[in-house]
Amino acid sequence: MDWIKAIEEAVEYIEANICEDITVSEIAKKVAVSPYYFQKGFSLLCGFTVSDYIRKRRLSLAGNELAFSDIKVIDLAVKFGYDSPDSFTKAFTRFHGVTPAAAKRNGTVLKSFAPLKIKISLEGGHSMDYKIIKKAAFTVVGFKGTFPYENAKTEVPKFWSEHFASGRGKEVCGMYGINRVEDIKSDTFEYLIADNYDPSREYSDTAVIEVIPEFTWAVFPCKGKMPDALGNMNDYIFSQWLPSCKDYEIAAGYCIELYDDPKNYKNGTLDDEYYSEMWIPVKRTDK
């Protein structure tokens, strides 16, 4: 899978179906990428989420139709997937700065949001360490939550905070943060705060035990204060490594964050030397 080509094909599909009820999972399936990785890659490469792009394109097109046709607001609301004229009017006004009624007046200034055109540019020359490893299946234990792709950046950190606030951190320290990304039929994904499973221990009824299958992983070591260090690593993986990597592509499965014990560092996870890793499941490309 050529990552840039996948984004281009996704944009083409969105534009061809801009008035349809399309979902992230449906778009991702069309370009053969898991919804989790597609959403993350699209956001990092394009600067906004898939839903934001669709919303802005629809409102841009709606403004154009109001200015140059006699279409009714209620018909336009239905056409672009809004539940009511009121919800459409609110969204339209936030985007354009004027109401749909004002948009019909001659000379009203409206905003335009053009379709994305993907271009390759040379940036940074950032040096990134990584290794390709094949790891046998292993078993973890932890606590699981289900989250929408759209809100992952805010909801997953909340999940971590709730995990420790509830006292579950005494049972599962959080060696791993595991994204389960196999299911392409849903707009949600599972996230597991986990440790290696110890069969000699007893765990609470709410803890889940899961076997992570054998995979080939691209492992990216990361050093620095959290969460910025790992966030920057994610940016580099999706904006530089994946688009330029010709030997490997993302495989379906899991994405794993590995965290060192904060107790090993003077300032815990805020230490400049704090160590973590990002594991991306990969497979060789068909050349």
Side-chain angles (χ1 to χ4, degrees), residues 8 14 30 43 45 60 67 82 84 86 92 109 140 145 150 156 158 165 180 185 201 208 215 234 257 276-277 283-284:
E8 287 178 335
I14 291 169
K30 289 290 182 182
S43 298
L45 289 174
S60 178
Y82 285 86
S84 68
D86 285 344
F92 187 96
V109 177
V140 298
E150 193 74 14
V156 171
K158 284 184 188 177
R180 183 185 175 94
K185 299 177 182 178
R201 284 186 56 187
V208 297
F215 274 116
N234 258 304
E257 305 146 7
S276 59
E277 291 179 351
K283 60 183 179 180
R284 280 205 166 273

Side-chain angles (χ1 to χ4, degrees), residues 63-263:
N64 193 63
E65 285 207 39
L66 279 173
F68 295 102
S69 75
D70 295 326
I71 191 169
K72 296 178 180 179
V73 172
I74 188 171
D75 294 332
L76 207 57
V78 171
K79 178 177 180 178
F80 288 106
Y82 285 86
D83 295 332
S84 68
D86 285 344
S87 61
F88 171 74
T89 296
K90 289 178 182 177
F92 187 96
T93 304
R94 281 195 300 268
F95 180 76
H96 287 284
V98 296
T99 65
K104 283 184 169 292
R105 298 174 194 150
N106 186 36
T108 299
V109 177
L110 298 173
K111 288 184 180 178
S112 176
F113 186 78
L116 278 170
K117 300 292 183 184
I118 308 299
K119 294 182 179 180
I120 302 294
S121 62
L122 297 177
E123 294 183 359
H126 178 79
S127 177
M128 179 186 294
D129 294 330
Y130 72 95
K131 57 186 176 182
I132 303 294
I133 63 170
K134 187 171 184 179
K135 184 175 176 62
F138 62 104
T139 305
V140 298
V141 59
F143 295 92
K144 184 180 291 186
T146 301
F147 305 96
Y149 298 114
E150 193 74 14
N151 299 342
K153 269 193 171 182
T154 55
E155 293 303 313
V156 171
K158 284 184 188 177
F159 185 51
W160 276 95
S161 297
E162 292 165 1
H163 175 78
F164 290 110
S166 68
R168 293 196 301 259
K170 296 176 181 177
E171 183 176 3
V172 172
C173 297
M175 178 180 179
Y176 303 109
I178 301 175
N179 299 278
R180 183 185 175 94
V181 296
E182 289 183 309
D183 187 4
I184 63 172
K185 299 177 182 178
S186 172
D187 284 328
T188 61
F189 69 98
E190 294 178 339
Y191 187 90
L192 185 68
I193 297 174
D195 289 339
N196 288 319
Y197 173 65
D198 182 352
S200 67
R201 284 186 56 187
E202 289 188 4
Y203 296 96
S204 60
D205 293 339
T206 53
V208 297
I209 298 170
E210 186 160 335
V211 176
I212 308 300
E214 178 182 285
F215 274 116
T216 297
W217 303 89
V219 177
F220 299 86
C222 181
K223 186 181 289 186
K225 296 178 182 179
M226 300 297 292
D228 292 345
L230 206 58
N232 291 337
M233 176 59 69
N234 258 304
D235 289 351
Y236 285 127
I237 291 171
F238 283 90
S239 65
Q240 295 189 33
W241 188 77
L242 276 170
S244 64
C245 184
K246 304 304 180 185
D247 296 319
Y248 292 94
E249 62 185 18
I250 289 177
Y254 297 75
C255 172
I256 297 180
E257 305 146 7
L258 180 143
Y259 300 101
D260 200 0
D261 188 342
K263 296 176 183 177

